[in-house]
């Protein structure tokens, strides 16, 4: 072979070998954003909490970068998440509170930007305050907020689903993604929201026995199930090519500054959140950054990491933040709950150069170097006057910049359940109430807020006379307090004082005729009294004020069905489903009404009608089983309960209901396996046995006594998960 050919051949071989030795182009990183609701940073092991049991979060921190001082824009779920997903502060994106706002269409959300860049986008949320009706789903090709099939929430609490169910849904999606053709598979942007640490702090199973507090138990529970998702990424070989960002929307006061939970104040207890970022190729392992950062930095970080064009946003790429140093920019937090909700003064906070300044009727200034818990207000100290003045000017600059990015928030998207839940939690007040307490410093108003909370707690325990007394005390001081009057009306109704309750609701309407939510409450009162014409009038009046009031439409459909006008009912149902496609439907509502009235045959028929449209609705299956049992159809009841258990084997309530049914039909020995399954999932079922009439005849049986004593220390199950078979 000629020498020149040999040289050419050797050169080609060398080139081929060299190309193989070059780094191969990595596929674009996936993105997993995890927000754990109501999680304080200082209750995570990686943040130095010695009593924490958070192995998943701790491992992510060890494998990635932990930001020691991350701040939320608001201690309220919807505004905070809107900031995370838009990179804008609340004065810019316009969402200032839960429930009363929707994200404007004009805001460019993270999912929209990543979908345009070729990403597959999906979200799995766990609470009704993040439902699609608030328009936060923009850009997500899949937005799973289907919460109607969950057990009904505890009185005055938020409809939610627990971490196992949300993670199961995320894993089901991920299984489909990883099985798709790699040649055509898109990278993913997935948002998973876990709600468990939010009040009520009632972790299931035996987790509460190993945690320091009930709040810590909920954190452990969420951490445990998040671990399942992280493990799935690792097992699929995509963990190290997935940008993982874990944070919280806000923290929890746990009694600090007189606030039991969150949403009113803007101290670090509720605005200091965990922030952990993992992507081995970009974020060094075991790195800790003490320089303060903010939720507005998350979206710029995602865009920079993926190599996408930068946007005109106020935040920074977290990789560019130095590891140490004070905040060299004003970091903003707000709570407008006190203003939007109660009519009191709003709270605006700025953190910069190790100081916190809070604008309020009585301004506050805290030196975080010597007072990290913000307990000693040094605003009035003469030597601090210049610092306070500079921070006030910085706040004005933040407002000016926010105005440059400003969008107008969408119309009120509330449903009746959302309204009642938010109002009862203190998240929403009427204009009449706002006028009654105008200008009050939230530091003074927290007393009223806590008294309302005590009234709600009394109501949850069925102590309605006590709840009535507490809200009457509030009304004696602030006669225009609408939430207090609304709880008073509800307490009176629960005590059978229908005329008195009606009077309180009518007083609310007289104060503010535009309160469609109160019109809805009056309609439901009249509906329960059989006054169909009056109920219909109230529902129609509510719809004139709020045309998308889904529950008013369903109420009119219910009245039409009761009166035999199926065609009219179908029209209302169609309108309701156009507004909220996940709404459970009027048949379930009708069945609930029959069940509450003891009409179990009629209830069963309506639950069956509901199941024709939603055959896998867990809650409806449980209720159908309860109705069939009371209608003397035990075999049918068993079939419904067995299907519910197959759908949700991790939910104790199905196993417990099955045990109760089998006890009545086949005796104690046959019921024990189902009872043991319920006890394994929720040891506190032992307390139910002692009070449930189904078990009274066999309480002295040794097998039962042994089980009750074994789990005697367990807490009672959360009311929202109470056995469906009980009257």
């Amino acid at each position: 072979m000629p020498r020149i050919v040999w040289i050419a051949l050797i050169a080609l071989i060398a080139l081929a070998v060299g190309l193989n030795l070059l780094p191969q182009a990595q596929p674009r990183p996936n993105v997993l954003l995890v927000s754990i609701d109501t999680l304080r940073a200082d209750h995570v092991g990686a943040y130095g909490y010695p009593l924490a049991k958070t192995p998943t979060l701790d491992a992510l921190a060890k494998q990635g970068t932990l930001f020691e001082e991350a701040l939320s824009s608001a201690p309220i779920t919807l505004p905070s998440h809107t900031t995370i997903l838009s990179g804008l502060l609340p004065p810019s994106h316009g969402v200032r509170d839960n429930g009363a706002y929707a994200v404007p269409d004009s805001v460019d959300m993270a999912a929209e930007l990543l979908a345009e860049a070729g990403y597959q986008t999906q979200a799995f949320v766990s609470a009704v305050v993040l439902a699609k009706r608030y328009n936060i789903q923009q850009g997500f090709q899949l937005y799973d907020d289907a919460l109607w099939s969950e057990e009904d929430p505890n009185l005055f609490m938020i409809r939610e689903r627990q971490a196992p169910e949300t993670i199961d849904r995320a894993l089901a999606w991920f299984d489909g993604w990883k099985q798709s053709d790699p040649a055509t598979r898109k990278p993913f942007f997935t948002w998973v929201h876990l709600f468990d640490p939010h009040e009520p702090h009632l972790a299931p199973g035996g987790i509460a026995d190993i945690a320091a507090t009930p709040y810590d138990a909920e954190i452990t529970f969420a951490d445990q199930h998040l671990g399942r998702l992280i493990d799935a990424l690792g097992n699929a070989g995509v963990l190290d090519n997935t940008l993982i960002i874990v944070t919280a929307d806000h923290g929890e006061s746990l009694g600090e500054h007189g606030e039991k939970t969150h949403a009113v104040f803007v101290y670090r207890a509720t605005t200091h959140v965990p922030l952990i970022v993992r992507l081995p190729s970009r974020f060094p392992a075991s790195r800790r950054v003490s320089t303060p950062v903010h939720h507005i930095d998350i979206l710029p970080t995602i865009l920079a990491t993926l190599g996408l064009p930068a946007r005109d946003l106020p935040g920074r790429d977290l990789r560019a933040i130095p590891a140490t140093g004070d905040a060299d920019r004003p970091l903003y937090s707000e709570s407008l709950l006190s203003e939007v909700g109660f009519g009191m003064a709003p709270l605006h906070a700025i953190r910069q150069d190790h100081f916190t300044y809070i604008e309020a009727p009585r301004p506050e200034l805290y030196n975080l170097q010597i007072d990290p818990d913000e307990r000693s207000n040094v605003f009035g100290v003469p030597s601090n006057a210049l610092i306070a003045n500079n921070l006030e000017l910085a706040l004005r600059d933040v407002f000016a910049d926010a105005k440059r990015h400003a969008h107008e928030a969408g119309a009120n998207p509330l449903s009746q359940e959302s309204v009642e839940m938010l109002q009862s939690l203190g998240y929403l007040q009427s204009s009449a109430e706002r006028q009654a307490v105008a200008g009050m410093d939230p530091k003074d108003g927290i007393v009223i807020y806590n008294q309302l909370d005590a009234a709600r707690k009394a109501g949850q325990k069925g102590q309605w006379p006590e709840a009535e007394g507490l809200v009457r005390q509030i009304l004696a001081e602030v006669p225009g307090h609408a939430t207090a009057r609304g709880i008073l009306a509800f307490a009176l109704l629960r005590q059978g004082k229908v005329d008195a309750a009606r009077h309180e609701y009518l007083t609310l309407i007289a104060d503010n005729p535009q309160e469609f939510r109160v019109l809805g409450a009056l309609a439901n009162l009249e509906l329960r009294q059989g006054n169909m014409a009056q109920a219909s009038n109230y529902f129609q009046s509510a719809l004139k004020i709020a045309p998308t009031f889904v529950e008013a439409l369903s109420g009119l459909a219910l009245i039409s069905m009761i009166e035999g006008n199926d065609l009219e009912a179908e029209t209302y149902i169609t309108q309701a489903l156009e507004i909220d496609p996940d709404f459970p439907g009027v048949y379930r509502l009708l069945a609930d009404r029959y069940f509450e009235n003891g009409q179990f045959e009629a209830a069963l028929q309506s639950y069956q009608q509901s199941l024709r449209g939603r055959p896998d609705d867990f809650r409806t299956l449980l209720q159908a089983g309860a109705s069939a049992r009371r209608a003397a159809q035990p075999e049918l009841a068993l079939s419904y309960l067995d299907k519910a258990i197959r759908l949700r084997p991790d939910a104790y309530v199905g196993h417990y209901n099955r045990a109760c049914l089998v006890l009545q039909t086949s005796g104690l020995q046959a019921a024990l396996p189902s009872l043991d399954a319920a006890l394994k999932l929720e040891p506190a079922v032992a307390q139910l046995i002692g009070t449930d009439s189904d078990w009274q005849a066999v309480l002295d049986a040794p097998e039962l006594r042994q089980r009750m004593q074994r789990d005697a220390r367990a807490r009672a199950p959360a009311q929202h998960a109470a056995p469906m078979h009980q009257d």
Side-chain angles (χ1 to χ4, degrees), residues 634-701:
E635 292 183 0
L636 181 60
L638 188 63
S639 70
Y640 284 128
L641 292 176
D642 283 344
K643 183 173 182 180
I645 291 169
R646 287 195 298 272
L647 284 171
R648 295 281 299 278
D650 60 333
Y652 88 88
V653 66
H655 298 282
Y656 182 75
N657 277 271
R658 191 182 195 282
C660 295
L661 173 63
V662 174
L663 176 68
Q664 300 301 314
T665 59
S666 305
L668 178 59
Q669 293 302 318
L672 288 177
S674 293
L675 180 61
D676 287 339
L679 285 165
K680 182 177 180 180
L681 291 165
E682 179 51 84
V685 164
Q687 292 189 19
L688 289 177
I689 297 171
T691 59
D692 192 333
S693 60
D694 283 338
W695 300 89
Q696 297 306 304
V698 294
L699 280 181
D700 292 331

Side-chain angles (χ1 to χ4, degrees), residues 348-391:
H348 307 282
I350 283 291
R351 287 174 175 83
Q352 188 172 8
D353 297 329
H354 67 261
F355 278 93
T356 296
Y357 169 74
I358 301 176
E359 185 178 66
R362 298 198 307 278
E364 300 170 64
L365 181 69
Y366 300 97
N367 185 337
L368 299 178
Q369 284 187 331
I370 60 176
D371 181 24
D373 295 331
E374 298 169 325
R375 297 186 182 279
S376 179
N377 182 5
V378 296
F379 178 81
V381 177
S383 60
N384 292 326
L386 181 60
I387 295 171
N389 183 65
N390 288 339
L391 290 174

Side-chain angles (χ1 to χ4, degrees), residues 12-96:
L12 286 172
I13 293 172
L15 177 62
V17 171
L19 287 174
N20 286 331
L21 292 176
L22 288 175
Q24 298 300 301
Q26 285 289 317
R28 288 185 296 171
N30 306 300
V31 182
L32 173 63
L33 172 64
V34 178
S35 57
I36 303 178
D37 214 287
T38 322
L39 175 58
R40 285 177 63 133
D42 60 3
H43 276 247
V44 175
Y47 281 82
Y49 185 48
L51 302 179
K53 290 181 171 58
T54 51
T56 302
L57 295 176
D58 298 346
L60 289 172
K62 186 175 182 180
Q63 298 160 11
T65 299
L66 179 147
F67 294 86
E68 296 177 351
E69 282 292 327
L71 293 174
S72 167
S73 64
I76 305 172
T77 300
L78 184 61
S80 177
H81 279 99
T82 305
T83 291
I84 292 170
L85 292 168
S86 70
L88 297 173
L89 292 171
S92 294
H93 59 61
V95 179
R96 316 302 286 271

Side-chain angles (χ1 to χ4, degrees), residues 514-583:
Q514 295 300 304
E515 286 292 353
F516 66 91
R517 67 203 84 188
V518 179
L519 290 167
L522 277 166
N524 283 315
L525 183 152
E526 301 299 350
L527 184 60
R528 289 177 179 274
Q529 296 301 306
N531 303 326
M532 300 299 168
Q534 187 62 60
S536 180
N537 287 337
Y538 283 133
F539 279 136
Q540 294 285 6
S541 297
L543 283 172
K544 289 178 183 177
I545 300 167
T548 60
F549 191 12
V550 172
E551 282 75 5
L553 290 166
S554 69
L556 289 168
L558 183 60
I559 292 170
S560 298
M561 292 178 68
I562 292 171
E563 294 178 342
N565 192 337
D566 292 341
L567 184 61
E568 186 177 71
E570 189 63 33
T571 299
Y572 287 127
I573 292 171
T574 300
Q575 292 178 26
L577 292 177
E578 287 176 352
I579 298 166
D580 186 351
D582 296 320
F583 194 68

